[in-house]
Amino acid sequence: MRGYLISWLARRAAGAGLTGFLEERPEDWLVWEAGPWRPTYQNRETLEQEGARSSVPQGIGESLAIALEPRPDRPYVSLGRAPDNDLVIDDATLSRLHLLLERRPEGWAARDAGSTNGTWIEGERLGPDPVVLVTGTQILAGSVRFTFYDAGGLYLRLRGAP
């Protein structure tokens, strides 16, 4: 998985028009929205930097755009705390396997993987049946917020469109 800070992508998109951006970054995207982080402390290395103990991030940080790229051997991206997920987020409100994002003929779809704290799409609790995502869809997995974008939708966000 490739991830980029939104500020970095915005600087890259500033000089490019929509067509240039789509040629360079045609992927669909999951944006991990800035917010508080609730570390599990199961993997203490995530709190270490160059051998010195760092403080747990407090408050609001910067959003991270993650290119959705399933492995060649399967049509989905797994998200959760466990290290064998495609997208690993060490947040205490996420289950070890929390959410599956599936590439389908009609586009990307999300389904909860039996998580403890649940997943919501646009405020509605998500069950085991997949829900097709459209650009701008808000996803809440546990307490971790995401927004799904196609490449054009992400470009508009980077350019400041609502």
Side-chain angles (χ1 to χ4, degrees):
M1 303 301 282
R2 293 176 296 129
Y4 305 92
L5 292 174
I6 287 287
S7 61
W8 184 86
L9 278 176
R11 282 193 304 276
R12 296 281 304 207
L18 175 60
T19 304
F21 183 81
L22 294 177
E23 287 173 3
E24 186 177 343
R25 310 240 179 253
E27 306 90 348
D28 293 316
W29 298 83
L30 189 65
V31 175
W32 180 3
E33 301 295 353
W37 176 45
R38 294 165 189 83
T40 62
Y41 298 105
Q42 292 176 355
N43 184 359
R44 294 200 176 268
E45 295 90 57
T46 61
L47 301 177
E48 306 253 339
Q49 183 175 3
E50 298 176 14
R53 187 105 176 124
S54 61
S55 62
V56 175
Q58 299 293 320
I60 305 298
E62 184 174 7
S63 297
L64 180 68
I66 302 155
L68 289 175
E69 300 168 323
R71 295 182 201 173
D73 60 331
R74 61 185 192 198
Y76 63 86
V77 171
S78 60
L79 183 149
R81 284 192 343 258
D84 58 341
N85 285 299
D86 299 310
L87 181 53
V88 178
I89 299 176
D90 189 20
D91 186 284
T93 65
L94 293 177
S95 294
R96 293 183 54 74
L97 173 60
H98 196 101
L99 178 67
L100 294 173
L101 299 161
E102 305 170 5
R103 181 170 286 191
R104 306 176 128 228
E106 63 272 22
W108 284 92
R111 71 179 170 90
D112 189 85
S115 68
T116 301
N117 291 323
T119 303
W120 284 261
I121 302 283
E122 296 292 334
E124 297 289 324
R125 182 140 188 166
L126 183 61
D129 296 326
V131 172
V132 175
L133 304 174
V134 297
T135 198
T137 298
Q138 301 286 310
I139 303 166
L140 182 65
S143 294
V144 182
R145 295 180 309 123
F146 300 97
T147 307
F148 171 81
Y149 292 101
D150 61 17
L154 181 63
Y155 175 82
L156 292 174
R157 174 174 173 170
L158 296 173
R159 299 295 296 205

